[in-house]
Amino acid sequence: MDNPDTNGELSWFELFVDPTVVSKAILDPEKKKQLPKLCMQFTDKGLLAEREKERGKLAVEELMLFERKSASMKLCAMATFAALDFDIEFVIDNIHRNELLTLRVLADNFYRIYNEKNLDATFGNWLFYRFVLSIDRRNRLDPPAPRATIATTLSNGQIMPLDPASVKHEKTQRTILELKDHIMKAKAFITELSEVPRDIVAPGIQCFLKPFIELAPKAMTAAFLGDRNVLIENPSADFEAEKVILPAADVANKCLSELVVVHYTNGELLEAKKILSRVTKPKTAHPMVAIDEDVFRAYCAILNVKGTDYSTSGAIKPYIFDLNALNDEENRKSEVWRQRGVQETSGQLQSVYKAENAACSVAENHPECIRDAIKTTAEVERFSKVLKKKLEGIRDKRRLQRIRAQLQFLCATIPDLRDILAANEVDVKGLRQFVTPSQHQNLERPPSTEQISNSLRGNDPFWALMTEFDVHILKMALVELGPFWFPLKMPVSEFLLDTLEKRANTPIYTITRLFLSKLYQLSRMHNFRGYLETLSSYNPDLGQDMGVDLAFESVYVKSLISNAHMPWKIAHWDVTNADSALIFDQKLIRVNENSAKMYNQCISLMLNLGDHQIVFDKGGQIPIDIFKCIPIARMFGAFIPATDESVAKKCADGFLRSLTPVIVGAQPPRGGMRREHDAEKKMLAFRSQLVLQYHMMSLVKQKNLLDFILAYFVFLHNRNMLAKKQSHLKIHAKLVHLYSNETITNTDIPNLDDVHQFLRMIIEKAYSISKTDEDTLRTYADFLYIEKDYQGAAQKYMEYFAVQDPLFRINFIPPDRPDDLKKMEKASEKLYDEQIFHRLRICTAHSGFLTMSLLTCQWLRTGKSKSFTKSMRLLANNETRDVGANCAEFIIDIQAVELLSQNYQANRMTKSLNTLYTGASSLSANQNVGPVLSREEMKRRTCRITKSWVPTEEIGDKNEVKEALIGTRKIDR
């Protein structure tokens, strides 16, 4: 392929080395048959140059050499293809079958070059989809496997694992299968182009020859010499050099002709005939829209299309479809003649043709619906006779199986077909009979879902126990089951377990456990109304001694259901706490192990609904030594209405003194050493108490109370980080200033997993209640940063900035008021915190946005140069060529401009360098922006870069700093 003979064959190497003879060689009509082979050679060499570029780490000069060699080879291949007038059929006919892979690369190059230049890609798409349809039409049948080109056994007895010819064959077959996946897109595109015609601009030969002749030699010389400043851009196609405009009418006509070939090849004759009647002769004599007249005359003759530019004259003797033609087996094998027989006949003869065509379709396993073809009894009789005759010569079991499957469907849709087939001695043993409605009985409605379930379950007593709640039905099912029902398998509320065990040895134990389990089932379903109705019907059987316990249970269930919803949903429930006062009655207090969760649910509901004063006043009536959560609940009740900061700090001190010893005491020993029995028992007691306190705090949904609890755990985390000398891992919280380090000294928590677990739960709950609270977002982002979830932290930091003022205006107060300047600076420091930008730089770097990580350093004041150095080193080491240039709108610092420009200049990223200065209007996606707007954009960018940078070294006192800050904010606004 690379060594042409000396008999005048074109050599790709000679043409590539001497660009002056390229145009003369490819435009020579005597060498047209050599152009397909030459085109494949150029494409193949360009592909090899691209692969060489991707191999290992190469020097910049070598990369430039391979890039320009690949671009020059592509231009030569496209110029050769353009010299053939983009005739894909001619190229495929004159190349080897294994070179279809190279031809696909050439088609893909046309598609990509239009997208890279952001031009109308209609021509590239049309070329690629015509290539797809041509490959599909030529490869309907798989070719035979190739013969081995080398011996399968070597001289030393080793077996050759793969044969090169087989490998090429498999690659070609794989490429063909991949192209067939685009067939539906190709049909849709060509159909759209035929229905909505538009002009297509086809490139000429000079579009590819001119850049190659003028620019390629200079580019290759610069690459060989290693002179980086001679030329930066690679040679590329110039679509303005020569263009051919194909009229919309001729393009639509060509697309119609392609659709005719596609439908005829697929056997869709009616559709092909319909489209063929619209094809006319083209008005433009360009090979791209030319139509083969001989081929389309044959199509018109076969499909019997008249009245078109390609219809045959009357000199051809028409074919007459009569009984003699019906008995001609040779003609009956053709679907075309069968279809024409139905169209060109009428009356009884047409019915005969329809029935015979249907029988032939079934016998040949054609997946088409023939119900409309055989409607009358005579047609069904004829269909059965012809089908019996066809089936006699079929012995293939799979084919007979497919025929029986189609007959089964036809028997279900055509009345009396099975009986007629049986009467004509067709084997119908494998065809299932269908049930027909009786003529003497009226049709009944289908049964409902309840009737079906009853019919399936019947009178199953266990099913009644699981699904019914009626007292009479449950008692009857219990009697029927007798000793075969195991009551321990049905769960009961934990609060009522002690009361139930008192009846363990009584006759009413079974019915009591059943009723309590049904009530527990309704509570798990969150059906409180059904719970109250069912409880009233069960009360006579449960007895008066359980009245107080059931009242407590109803209060517990109501609190459980209400706490499971968000605050804005509870407001529509019309929930009251009138019954909850029952838990504060000292005479009715139930002291057991399972009542603590009930008290937690009721108190949490009061706090969520705003009845905090009741919790604070009456919470002291509950014994503290039994219910350890009562002191914390009273602190919550005192904190919610507190408006004075001193009261809030007292609540925070009490909360810190109450909960911290429990957390510290629940910690396991250091190093995994076992404790003594008493110490282990004490630790388990602390952990059980901590579980109950965590349970109560997990039910809180009041926003201020969530901030209060969240600040406590953030305080514990920050204090442990300071003890470990890791202050950079501190977390922000809104109310963390309420907690003081002097309140308690022992906060040594060796394992912060408990703190972090509850911190995550409270943060997620606070975020779900208010997703626009800036302090919650800041805390959530800091926590994700500590957990090393850098992408999630970056997202939450962006949400934190997004919930601020839409214009990021931090100077809401006019700066001419000196008294209010401190407030403005305080708001500025809160929003633009140094720690946020340091963490945001790390998050964006770990997430892969290296350029954005560099630009984040612009807002830093301390450690700015060091952060710039780290980000720049990371950007240079990764040799990134990502979309960093699209971040040009975010640059306000001249140092960032200099660093990025140096990086772009070192990596020869010319487009990114231009974008950095001119702004987003120079990007390829925004080429539709006019030149006037581009000049305005350049002027604005230049003004912004030069005026926004205020060096801190040149500013003397505080007044100058304030003026500089105010000036910068005015410019930014």
Side-chain angles (χ1 to χ4, degrees):
M1 182 175 181
D2 295 342
N3 299 317
D5 298 333
T6 57
N7 54 358
E9 266 191 51
L10 296 175
S11 171
W12 69 269
F13 183 74
E14 294 179 359
L15 298 180
F16 182 72
V17 173
D18 190 4
T20 57
V21 299
V22 174
S23 58
K24 181 179 178 181
I26 65 176
L27 294 177
D28 190 356
E30 296 180 357
K31 298 181 180 181
K32 183 178 180 181
K33 290 186 177 181
Q34 301 180 26
L35 294 185
K37 183 179 179 181
L38 184 65
C39 184
M40 296 299 103
Q41 290 176 349
F42 280 130
T43 307
D44 196 15
K45 296 303 175 183
L47 184 61
L48 289 177
E50 286 187 355
R51 292 176 180 174
E52 288 290 336
K53 184 184 66 174
E54 297 172 357
R55 285 177 48 192
K57 293 185 177 180
L58 301 176
V60 178
E61 292 80 4
E62 294 177 342
L63 286 174
M64 294 169 60
L65 175 62
F66 286 125
E67 284 181 359
R68 287 157 190 185
K69 181 181 177 182
S70 174
S72 302
M73 289 294 180
K74 288 180 182 179
L75 289 177
C76 293
M78 292 178 184
T80 310
F81 196 25
L84 292 172
D85 295 319
F86 305 103
D87 193 349
I88 295 177
E89 304 290 342
F90 181 78
V91 175
I92 296 176
D93 290 337
N94 290 275
I95 61 175
H96 193 270
R97 188 172 183 274
N98 290 338
E99 292 181 341
L100 290 178
L101 288 78
T102 309
L103 184 58
R104 182 187 178 174
V105 173
L106 179 62
D108 288 338
N109 288 339
F110 269 95
Y111 175 75
R112 289 172 184 168
I113 195 170
Y114 278 97
N115 287 340
E116 290 175 358
K117 292 182 174 293
N118 198 21
L119 301 175
D120 186 11
T122 304
F123 178 77
N125 289 332
W126 189 29
L127 202 62
F128 177 75
Y129 287 136
R130 287 176 64 185
F131 170 63
V132 170
L133 295 177
S134 179
I135 293 298
D136 175 63
R137 184 172 65 254
R138 292 167 177 266
N139 294 276
R140 290 302 179 95
L141 299 177
D142 294 336
R147 296 180 180 178
T149 56
I150 60 174
T152 56
T153 305
L154 301 180
S155 59
N156 57 358
Q158 184 181 0
I159 299 176
M160 191 69 185
L162 293 174
D163 180 68
S166 300
V167 173
K168 288 184 179 179
H169 175 75
E170 291 178 2
K171 288 183 178 180
T172 305
Q173 287 298 110
R174 196 180 304 117
T175 302
I176 292 172
L177 292 177
E178 291 175 358
L179 289 174
K180 287 186 177 182
D181 295 338
H182 298 275
I183 291 176
M184 299 305 297
K185 296 180 182 178
K187 289 182 181 179
F189 178 80
I190 293 179
T191 303
E192 180 186 0
L193 205 57
S194 63
E195 298 297 335
V196 186
R198 55 180 180 270
D199 295 341
I200 291 182
V201 180
I205 303 176
Q206 296 301 324
C207 294
F208 313 105
L209 279 182
K210 184 179 178 182
F212 174 71
I213 295 173
E214 296 179 356
L215 202 59
K218 300 178 183 179
M220 294 299 294
T221 303
F224 276 117
L225 297 177
D227 191 355
R228 303 183 182 182
N229 299 320
V230 173
L231 191 66
I232 296 177
E233 295 184 358
N234 295 327
S236 60
D238 182 11
F239 289 103
E240 299 296 331
E242 182 183 0
K243 61 178 69 174
V244 179
I245 299 178
L246 303 177
D250 290 341
V251 173
N253 189 55
K254 180 63 177 179
C255 292
L256 290 175
S257 66
E258 292 169 353
L259 290 175
V260 169
V261 178
V262 171
H263 289 302
Y264 186 83
T265 309
N266 294 337
E268 302 168 355
L269 304 178
L270 291 178
E271 192 68 25
K273 183 177 179 180
K274 190 184 301 182
I275 298 176
L276 184 57
S277 60
R278 298 168 53 189
V279 179
T280 59
K281 291 185 178 180
K283 298 179 181 179
T284 305
H286 195 276
M288 285 288 293
V289 295
I291 297 177
D292 193 339
E293 297 186 2
D294 296 335
V295 173
F296 273 80
R297 286 197 190 97
Y299 281 143
C300 291
I302 294 173
L303 298 176
N304 195 25
V305 177
K306 300 178 181 179
T308 65
D309 295 342
Y310 301 101
S311 300
T312 57
S313 60
I316 300 177
K317 183 179 180 180
Y319 187 85
I320 300 174
F321 291 90
D322 52 9
L323 291 176
N324 296 328
L326 185 63
N327 297 327
D328 189 354
E329 290 295 334
E330 294 297 329
N331 288 337
R332 296 296 296 157
K333 293 180 182 179
S334 173
E335 290 185 61
V336 178
W337 296 107
R338 274 191 247 159
Q339 190 66 32
R340 285 187 58 184
V342 176
Q343 294 178 354
E344 299 185 16
T345 56
S346 60
Q348 186 177 1
L349 186 60
Q350 188 180 33
S351 300
V352 173
Y353 267 100
K354 286 183 179 180
E356 291 225 359
N357 289 352
C360 292
S361 298
V362 172
E364 295 174 3
N365 297 132
H366 288 174
E368 59 185 19
C369 183
I370 61 173
R371 286 179 297 173
D372 297 335
I374 46 176
K375 297 179 180 179
T376 63
T377 307
E379 292 175 352
V380 177
E381 289 279 356
R382 182 75 180 184
F383 168 79
S384 304
K385 292 178 181 179
V386 177
L387 183 61
K388 180 180 180 300
K389 184 178 178 181
K390 295 286 184 182
L391 292 176
E392 290 176 355
I394 301 177
R395 296 291 183 268
D396 189 1
K397 293 183 179 180
R398 292 186 178 181
R399 186 176 174 186
L400 289 172
Q401 188 177 4
R402 290 193 292 266
I403 292 173
R404 281 195 296 270
Q406 192 169 2
L407 287 177
Q408 183 70 68
F409 170 74
L410 294 175
C411 290
T413 54
I414 300 176
D416 303 328
L417 177 59
R418 191 178 187 278
D419 298 335
I420 296 175
L421 289 173
N424 286 280
E425 300 180 355
V426 178
D427 186 11
V428 293
K429 294 179 182 179
L431 302 180
R432 182 167 53 90
Q433 295 185 357
F434 293 90
V435 178
T436 57
S438 174
Q439 299 179 359
H440 305 288
Q441 297 180 357
N442 296 328
L443 296 176
E444 298 180 358
R445 290 184 177 180
S448 61
T449 306
E450 184 178 358
Q451 293 174 350
I452 293 175
S453 62
N454 292 336
S455 63
L456 292 176
R457 295 290 178 180
N459 297 323
D460 187 359
F462 186 77
W463 179 255
L465 288 179
M466 294 294 105
T467 58
E468 298 293 338
F469 295 91
D470 187 73
V471 177
H472 179 68
I473 296 175
L474 292 176
K475 288 182 178 180
M476 293 297 295
L478 199 59
V479 171
E480 188 174 352
L481 278 175
F484 298 101
W485 181 62
F486 302 95
L488 297 178
K489 297 295 182 182
M490 298 188 70
V492 182
S493 174
E494 296 179 355
F495 178 71
L496 299 175
L497 278 177
D498 294 340
T499 307
L500 179 63
E501 293 302 323
K502 295 178 182 178
R503 300 185 178 185
N505 298 323
T506 60
I508 60 174
Y509 174 76
T510 302
I511 191 68
T512 303
R513 187 176 184 96
L514 176 61
F515 286 162
L516 293 181
S517 64
K518 300 303 291 185
L519 291 173
Y520 182 71
Q521 185 179 357
L522 287 170
S523 67
R524 294 293 297 272
M525 296 165 57
H526 288 193
N527 186 2
F528 186 63
R529 182 176 299 176
Y531 180 89
L532 293 178
E533 295 174 357
T534 307
L535 179 61
S536 62
S537 62
Y538 291 170
N539 269 331
D541 295 285
L542 293 175
Q544 297 295 329
D545 56 336
M546 294 187 66
V548 178
D549 293 331
L550 292 174
F552 270 103
E553 178 67 13
S554 63
V555 175
Y556 171 51
V557 171
K558 182 179 69 173
S559 304
L560 176 69
I561 297 174
S562 301
N563 286 329
H565 294 81
M566 285 296 176
W568 54 83
K569 291 186 179 179
I570 298 178
H572 299 284
W573 274 53
D574 196 15
V575 181
T576 59
N577 285 322
D579 301 334
S580 300
L582 189 66
I583 65 174
F584 298 114
D585 193 345
Q586 294 183 353
K587 299 179 181 179
L588 302 177
I589 290 178
R590 292 295 185 265
V591 180
N592 53 48
E593 296 180 356
N594 301 317
S595 59
K597 291 186 178 180
M598 184 269 293
Y599 277 89
N600 286 345
Q601 291 282 358
C602 297
I603 292 175
S604 299
L605 180 62
M606 292 181 183
L607 294 174
N608 293 335
L609 293 180
D611 297 334
H612 42 79
Q613 195 64 35
I614 299 177
V615 176
F616 179 71
D617 295 339
K618 297 185 178 182
Q621 302 176 10
I622 302 176
I624 300 176
D625 56 341
I626 300 174
F627 302 106
K628 304 293 184 181
C629 299
I630 296 302
I632 295 178
R634 295 191 66 195
M635 292 176 200
F636 290 165
F639 171 76
I640 293 177
T643 57
D644 190 3
E645 188 172 351
S646 60
V647 178
K649 284 189 175 182
K650 289 181 180 180
C651 296
D653 292 342
F655 186 54
L656 187 62
R657 294 176 186 274
S658 301
L659 189 58
T660 306
V662 179
I663 297 177
V664 174
Q667 296 299 312
R670 293 181 180 271
M673 298 177 60
R674 298 189 61 182
R675 295 182 179 181
E676 298 180 357
H677 178 70
D678 295 338
E680 189 75 18
K681 188 176 180 180
K682 187 176 180 181
M683 184 193 72
L684 294 177
F686 274 126
R687 292 198 75 85
S688 62
Q689 181 180 350
L690 187 63
V691 168
L692 291 176
Q693 291 175 347
Y694 276 11
H695 175 257
M696 186 191 70
M697 287 185 285
S698 66
L699 299 173
V700 173
K701 291 184 173 65
Q702 212 272 344
K703 186 64 178 65
N704 294 334
L705 205 52
L706 283 175
D707 293 338
F708 180 74
I709 300 172
L710 186 61
Y712 167 73
F713 288 99
V714 170
F715 169 76
L716 288 183
H717 169 82
N718 292 345
R719 183 161 178 172
N720 279 270
M721 290 299 104
L722 289 174
K724 295 178 182 179
K725 297 181 180 180
Q726 296 178 353
S727 58
H728 63 283
L729 297 179
K730 293 173 63 177
I731 301 177
H732 165 83
K734 182 179 180 181
L735 302 178
V736 74
H737 63 280
L738 298 177
Y739 296 92
S740 173
N741 292 323
E742 301 175 356
T743 303
I744 190 167
T745 58
N746 185 14
T747 58
D748 184 17
I749 303 176
N751 187 6
L752 289 175
D753 290 342
D754 295 337
V755 176
H756 285 179
Q757 182 179 1
F758 197 77
L759 192 58
R760 177 182 289 275
M761 183 187 69
I762 294 296
I763 290 175
E764 290 178 351
K765 183 176 293 185
Y767 179 71
S768 63
I769 292 175
S770 178
K771 295 185 178 181
T772 57
D773 185 73
E774 57 183 23
D775 293 293
T776 303
L777 287 170
R778 171 78 184 277
T779 308
Y780 201 173
D782 290 345
F783 176 75
L784 293 178
Y785 176 81
I786 298 302
E787 294 289 316
K788 296 184 179 181
D789 183 5
Y790 295 113
Q791 291 187 356
Q795 180 181 355
K796 291 298 177 289
Y797 280 130
M798 291 297 101
E799 292 181 15
Y800 166 75
F801 286 114
V803 299
Q804 307 293 335
D805 189 83
L807 300 178
F808 286 95
R809 293 175 301 182
I810 58 175
N811 48 349
F812 301 106
I813 305 170
D816 53 354
R817 303 179 188 175
D819 298 337
D820 298 331
L821 189 59
K822 293 183 179 180
K823 297 182 180 180
M824 183 188 69
E825 292 180 354
K826 188 175 181 180
S828 171
E829 292 176 358
K830 180 183 178 182
L831 177 60
Y832 294 99
D833 192 353
E834 290 273 325
Q835 191 180 40
I836 296 180
F837 291 104
H838 278 290
R839 293 182 175 181
L840 191 58
R841 179 188 67 81
I842 298 174
C843 292
T844 50
H846 280 83
S847 302
F849 300 98
L850 304 181
T851 307
M852 186 61 75
S853 176
L854 176 69
L855 298 182
T856 310
C857 306
Q858 297 176 115
W859 289 275
L860 297 177
R861 295 180 184 176
T862 59
K864 185 174 184 179
S865 301
K866 188 176 180 181
S867 299
F868 265 129
T869 305
K870 290 181 179 180
S871 300
M872 197 61 213
R873 188 185 301 116
L874 188 64
L875 188 65
N877 291 341
N878 285 272
E879 297 181 359
T880 177
R881 294 198 177 194
D882 56 0
V883 293
N886 296 344
C887 304
E889 285 294 329
F890 300 100
I891 299 178
I892 62 170
D893 194 303
I894 195 65
Q895 189 175 357
V897 175
E898 292 177 356
L899 291 174
L900 279 178
S901 62
Q902 291 174 6
N903 180 60
Y904 293 155
Q905 182 70 25
N907 291 329
R908 297 296 185 268
M909 300 169 67
T910 309
K911 293 184 179 179
S912 301
L913 194 61
N914 295 335
T915 305
L916 183 65
Y917 180 71
T918 59
S921 61
S922 66
L923 296 178
S924 60
N926 298 331
Q927 290 296 331
N928 54 350
V929 178
V932 177
L933 183 59
S934 177
R935 286 197 297 270
E936 293 177 356
E937 178 72 11
M938 291 175 61
K939 186 182 299 183
R940 187 187 68 83
R941 295 287 297 136
T942 305
C943 179
R944 185 175 183 180
I945 290 175
T946 54
K947 291 186 179 182
S948 61
W949 174 248
V950 183
T952 55
E953 293 81 359
E954 299 177 3
I955 301 176
D957 54 358
K958 282 188 176 181
N959 295 327
E960 294 181 0
V961 174
K962 293 177 183 178
E963 293 175 1
L965 288 174
I966 296 170
T968 304
R969 289 167 188 153
K970 286 181 179 180
I971 293 173
D972 288 344
R973 195 193 320 172

